[in-house]
């Protein structure tokens, strides 16, 4: 039986934010938790595991991007093999989602909360040649970095943060509501466990400052429009000693003056004179590796496509070169002189004497038009 779409399982759209995905999973986990559905524990456990598997993928930016592009097959069996309700199954995922409400989970006895820095996105525009060949590009990324003046503490140099008097330095407060002991982030210190009485003058107590960083990005050969490059740890700095986020560089390939690309294949339009198309000949055809000679048979019509094998490009997933497709566009002469016009009129009269012999497509088209009008007049 085929797996259900993960977005469908959680009941969210493909554009849902991480917070919306987390809320959707929280709702389903509460609804289908086997302890709350003992009369139908088998079906509930199945639904819970299904929701857990979907959440494990969609909460992770990399796994989600892979799933969006390749579906279940791209996950190499998916995350379902992590097991059901043991220490590595329900306990981990339930603690991850509900730890800030119900306490316990993976935080154990509690402590100051650390926050991972936000992931960042950067749009990198490349010419087709650079995308195909690969490149090393320098980019400037505005981001939040740890304040060097206070070493990220937020306190003015020479002073230190003090233990929060509200939570006693653990970053969380506990309240009793009925049968539940609810643990929440401390509202006074925002989970840091400390407060700052004398803030740093540069970061104003935040521990981070806005700065533009210059980074070098290695673009692999064969990248295409929409591909993403992940730079681990190059996102915004974390808070309270948390890890930095990641930077995702999204490739945007500029339109090319000659070629259009589709995967490993490229195509172009080749203008050819009436004389060359009629009599045959050779034209110089550009490729990304240099010019090649294309033989044009006599009587070639406009729109004819020639395929040049191995003259395309590679992709990041396949290093075999695709093909080049050249479509012929027969050019109509313009700005004729009186002599050229006279010669062309004589040539046209000569062709008309041959009838369909010289214009087989025109003759067939006229017959088709006649049959059309005969049919609608009946």
């Amino acid at each position: 039986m085929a797996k259900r779409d993960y977005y469908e399982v959680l009941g969210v759209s493909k554009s849902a934010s991480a917070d919306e995905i987390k809320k959707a999973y929280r709702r389903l986990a509460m609804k289908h938790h086997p302890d709350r559905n003992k009369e139908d524990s088998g079906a509930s456990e199945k639904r819970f595991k299904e929701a857990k598997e979907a959440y494990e993928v969609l909460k992770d930016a990399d796994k989600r991007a892979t799933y969006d592009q390749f579906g279940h097959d791209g996950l190499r069996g998916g995350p379902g093999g992590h097991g059901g309700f043991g220490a590595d199954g329900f306990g981990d995922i339930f603690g991850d989602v509900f730890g800030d409400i119900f306490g316990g989970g993976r935080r154990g006895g509690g402590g100051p909360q650390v926050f991972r820095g936000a992931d960042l996105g950067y749009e990198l525009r490349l010419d087709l040649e650079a995308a195909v060949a690969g490149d090393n590009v320098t980019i400037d990324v505005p981001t939040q970095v740890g304040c060097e003046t206070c070493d990220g503490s937020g306190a003015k140099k020479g002073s230190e943060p003090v233990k929060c008097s509200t939570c006693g330095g653990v970053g969380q407060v506990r309240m009793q509501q009925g049968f539940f002991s609810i643990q929440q982030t401390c509202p006074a210190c925002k989970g840091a466990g400390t407060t700052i009485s004398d803030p740093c003058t540069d970061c104003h107590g935040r521990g981070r400052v806005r700065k533009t960083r210059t980074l070098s990005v290695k673009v692999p050969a064969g990248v295409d429009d929409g591909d993403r490059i992940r730079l681990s740890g190059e996102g915004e700095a974390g808070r309270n000693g948390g890890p930095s986020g990641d930077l995702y560089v999204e490739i945007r390939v500029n339109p090319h003056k000659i070629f259009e690309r589709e995967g490993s294949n490229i195509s172009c339009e080749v203008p050819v004179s009436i004389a060359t198309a009629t009599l045959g000949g050779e034209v110089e055809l550009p490729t990304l590796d240099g010019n090649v000679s294309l033989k044009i048979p006599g009587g070639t019509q406009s729109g004819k496509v020639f395929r040049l094998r191995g003259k395309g490009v590679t992709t990041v997933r396949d290093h075999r070169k695709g093909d080049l497709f050249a479509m012929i566009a027969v050019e109509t002469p313009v700005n004729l002189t009186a002599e050229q016009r006279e010669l062309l009129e004589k040539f046209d009269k000569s062709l008309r004497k041959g009838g369909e012999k010289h214009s087989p497509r025109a003759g067939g088209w006229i017959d088709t038009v006649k049959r059309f009008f005969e049919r609608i007049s009946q």
Side-chain angles (χ1 to χ4, degrees), residues 61-280:
D62 289 335
K63 290 180 182 178
R64 184 177 180 180
T66 301
Y67 177 72
D68 288 345
Q69 189 168 5
F70 301 108
H72 292 293
D73 293 337
L75 298 173
R76 298 180 181 177
H82 292 310
F85 298 94
D88 294 327
F90 169 72
D92 277 353
I93 192 76
F94 195 77
D96 178 50
V97 176
F98 301 107
D100 57 338
I101 297 180
F102 296 105
R106 288 181 291 180
R107 292 193 179 96
Q113 291 180 309
V114 297
F115 299 91
R116 180 180 181 273
D119 292 336
L120 298 176
Y122 185 92
E123 187 176 272
L124 177 60
R125 303 203 70 89
L126 296 173
D127 290 334
L128 178 61
E129 291 84 353
V132 170
D135 201 358
N136 285 306
V137 182
T138 299
I139 61 174
D140 293 326
V141 182
T143 183
Q144 295 276 358
V145 300
C147 177
E148 295 180 357
T149 304
C150 64
D151 294 326
S153 70
K156 190 174 183 179
K157 203 165 186 178
S159 66
E160 292 183 357
V162 297
K163 183 186 293 186
C164 176
S165 59
T166 301
C167 64
V170 298
Q172 298 171 341
V173 292
R174 190 181 297 274
M175 296 184 296
Q176 193 75 27
Q177 288 191 0
F179 293 104
F180 293 103
S181 177
I182 299 179
Q183 187 169 292
Q184 295 179 326
T185 299
C186 176
C189 65
K190 304 297 187 294
T194 58
T195 57
I196 299 171
S197 57
D198 194 5
C200 170
T201 55
D202 286 347
C203 67
H204 306 289
R206 291 190 293 267
R208 301 185 302 171
V209 293
R210 193 154 190 84
K211 184 179 180 181
T212 297
R213 300 178 62 203
T214 300
L215 301 173
S216 179
V217 181
K218 182 175 177 60
V219 179
V223 295
D224 204 351
D225 196 76
D227 285 346
R228 293 200 308 172
I229 300 171
R230 176 190 178 194
L231 299 182
S232 180
E234 297 295 353
E236 287 192 351
R239 290 189 290 134
N240 300 341
S244 297
D246 299 330
L247 172 65
Y248 290 89
V249 179
E250 185 165 1
I251 302 298
R252 290 298 175 197
V253 180
N254 297 320
H256 198 273
K257 293 182 179 179
I258 299 175
F259 300 109
E260 290 187 5
R261 178 183 179 184
E262 186 174 344
S264 61
N265 298 322
I266 56 175
S267 60
C268 67
E269 189 176 81
V270 184
V272 174
S273 69
I274 285 181
T276 301
T278 304
L279 303 176

Side-chain angles (χ1 to χ4, degrees), residues 23 30 36 41 82-83 87 176 197 284 352:
K23 288 180 179 178
M30 291 290 289
R36 301 185 64 184
S41 60
H82 292 310
Q176 193 75 27
S197 57
E284 285 290 307
R352 289 178 184 275

